[in-house]
Amino acid sequence: MSKVLIFGHKNPDTDTICSAIVYDYLKRLQGMDTEAVRLGELNDETKYALKYFGASVPKLIDSLESGQEVILVDHNEFQQSANGIENSVIKEVIDHHRIANFETAGPLYYRAEPLGCTATILKKIFDEQGVQINKQIAGLMLSAIISDSLLFKSPTCTLRDKLAAEDLAKIADVNLEEYGLAMLKAGASTKDKSVKELIDVDVKEFILNEKKIVVAQINTVDAKEVTDRIDELETTITNEINSKELSAFVFVITNILTSDSEVLVLGEDKDKVASAFNKKLENNLMTLEGVVSRKKQVVPQITEEFNK
């Protein structure tokens, strides 16, 4: 019998990878034969966290065999999951996103909470079950919370996320602010990345009123480093739109120091995306002040506009 695979979404971020590793650790303690895997390449921020806490990189998989048993973390929408997910057996879901395009043939354990990070839910599960958290596991959960909350600057961050992070930092034996800023900066460099790498760092696909939208995001300490490459960005994104038959491609360039975002929008419905924020595009760009969260400050607004 094959192992139960635990994984997060495609184009994995730090929460997806760390939560898969952490939940795999817990399930194996409980006697389940599991394995944490990933659906894409790691970003620099995640590499920093895994190296800092001495964690191994999960195995990369391309697709699932029919009947494969799986546990999903940090996602539930099938278009964001592994190829073949519709023919797998989903045993559990641990998530903090909206629920959409999700259906199973049988019952399952499903836990979704409106918190800033999947790892915060996992911290609650460890506490509820009285399982001791070691330094490495604490560090991975802490890294996930820092990443998803942008060191508590994101509006998705709750008091429970912050309290969990403070507890985990003590167990991991790190200074929360110092480690958090170092980790975020490790993932914020854009100069050595190709344009294709920039738009693939953290990208998710959504089906909104039968239209396919992609919302990609990258964190940086200097948005101009990215927008200076506008011509190459537009060419590459246009190729993505044509090859994937997208209605719009939304690229959110978030400055982690100012908590503002520059947003590049292309596609036939680009003006509709801008209208969701009461904005007009100038050279396909708009500035969204105080916007750092795709989940809470970008996707809901676009969803509402497309569902009118």
Side-chain angles (χ1 to χ4, degrees):
M1 185 175 179
S2 63
K3 293 178 180 290
V4 177
L5 302 182
I6 303 178
F7 53 84
H9 53 74
K10 294 176 180 176
N11 304 104
D13 57 15
T14 301
D15 188 26
T16 268
I17 294 295
C18 290
S19 289
I21 295 171
V22 168
Y23 205 45
D24 173 53
Y25 171 81
L26 179 61
K27 301 310 286 187
R28 286 189 289 110
L29 279 181
Q30 296 172 338
M32 186 180 287
D33 189 15
T34 59
E35 180 182 7
V37 297
R38 58 188 169 94
L39 306 184
E41 298 304 321
L42 304 187
N43 62 44
D44 290 340
E45 176 191 280
T46 308
K47 290 177 184 177
Y48 180 92
L50 296 192
K51 183 177 180 180
Y52 191 98
F53 291 106
S56 299
V57 176
K59 180 178 72 177
L60 176 67
I61 64 168
D62 294 319
S63 60
L64 301 171
E65 294 183 1
S66 182
Q68 171 68 55
E69 293 185 325
V70 302
I71 294 174
L72 309 184
V73 296
D74 198 32
H75 77 298
N76 67 81
E77 298 186 52
F78 279 12
Q79 70 269 19
Q80 297 175 8
S81 199
N83 296 328
I85 187 66
E86 64 278 358
N87 297 315
S88 68
V89 178
I90 303 174
K91 297 179 69 68
E92 299 185 32
V93 177
I94 312 292
D95 193 17
H96 69 128
H97 295 94
R98 70 174 194 165
I99 301 170
N101 305 321
F102 183 86
E103 184 178 350
T104 62
L108 75 161
Y109 177 75
Y110 196 115
R111 184 158 178 170
E113 298 191 36
L115 297 173
C117 182
T118 306
T120 305
I121 304 173
L122 296 182
K123 169 67 163 56
K124 290 180 65 177
I125 293 173
F126 272 76
D127 291 344
E128 291 164 1
Q129 299 184 8
V131 179
Q132 186 173 1
I133 301 172
N134 64 35
K135 181 176 180 178
Q136 182 187 74
I137 293 299
L140 296 178
M141 285 194 278
L142 173 65
S143 300
I145 295 170
I146 290 169
S147 176
D148 267 17
S149 72
L150 278 181
L151 201 52
F152 317 127
K153 291 181 179 179
S154 172
T156 61
C157 183
T158 68
L159 178 60
R160 185 172 286 276
D161 294 297
K162 194 169 189 303
L163 292 175
E166 290 171 352
D167 287 346
L168 293 166
K170 293 175 185 175
I171 300 171
D173 193 27
V174 296
N175 179 289
L176 179 52
E177 295 291 331
E178 289 179 4
Y179 172 74
L181 192 56
M183 188 194 79
L184 291 176
K185 284 186 175 180
S189 175
T190 63
K191 290 181 179 179
D192 59 347
K193 290 183 174 68
S194 69
V195 163
K196 185 65 166 66
E197 287 173 329
L198 291 179
I199 66 172
D200 283 347
V201 163
D202 186 4
V203 57
K204 290 185 178 180
E205 183 180 298
F206 301 90
I207 306 297
L208 305 178
N209 202 10
E210 299 184 351
K211 293 196 173 185
K212 192 187 299 184
I213 311 293
V214 160
V215 184
Q217 184 173 29
I218 190 166
N219 295 330
T220 180
V221 294
D222 184 3
K224 194 171 183 296
E225 279 186 5
V226 182
T227 56
D228 278 350
R229 303 164 75 176
I230 190 72
D231 290 342
E232 192 179 355
L233 278 167
E234 290 189 352
T235 298
T236 304
I237 289 173
T238 298
N239 289 338
E240 290 286 300
I241 290 171
N242 293 335
S243 65
K244 296 179 179 178
E245 299 182 338
L246 303 177
S247 173
F249 192 110
V250 184
F251 184 39
V252 183
I253 307 156
T254 300
N255 188 316
I256 62 174
L257 300 181
T258 65
S259 298
D260 297 327
S261 292
E262 296 295 323
V263 185
L264 174 63
V265 191
L266 295 172
E268 62 182 20
D269 283 322
K270 64 181 183 180
D271 291 330
K272 195 167 187 177
V273 171
S275 294
F277 305 94
N278 296 314
K279 296 277 188 177
K280 289 189 179 296
L281 298 173
E282 294 185 15
N283 298 320
N284 298 321
L285 283 165
M286 61 180 172
T287 301
L288 298 182
E289 295 85 357
V291 169
V292 298
S293 171
R294 170 175 53 196
K295 182 176 73 172
K296 194 166 185 176
Q297 295 176 297
V298 177
V299 173
Q301 290 79 356
I302 296 174
T303 301
E304 182 178 356
E305 183 68 26
F306 273 75
N307 285 336
K308 286 182 178 178

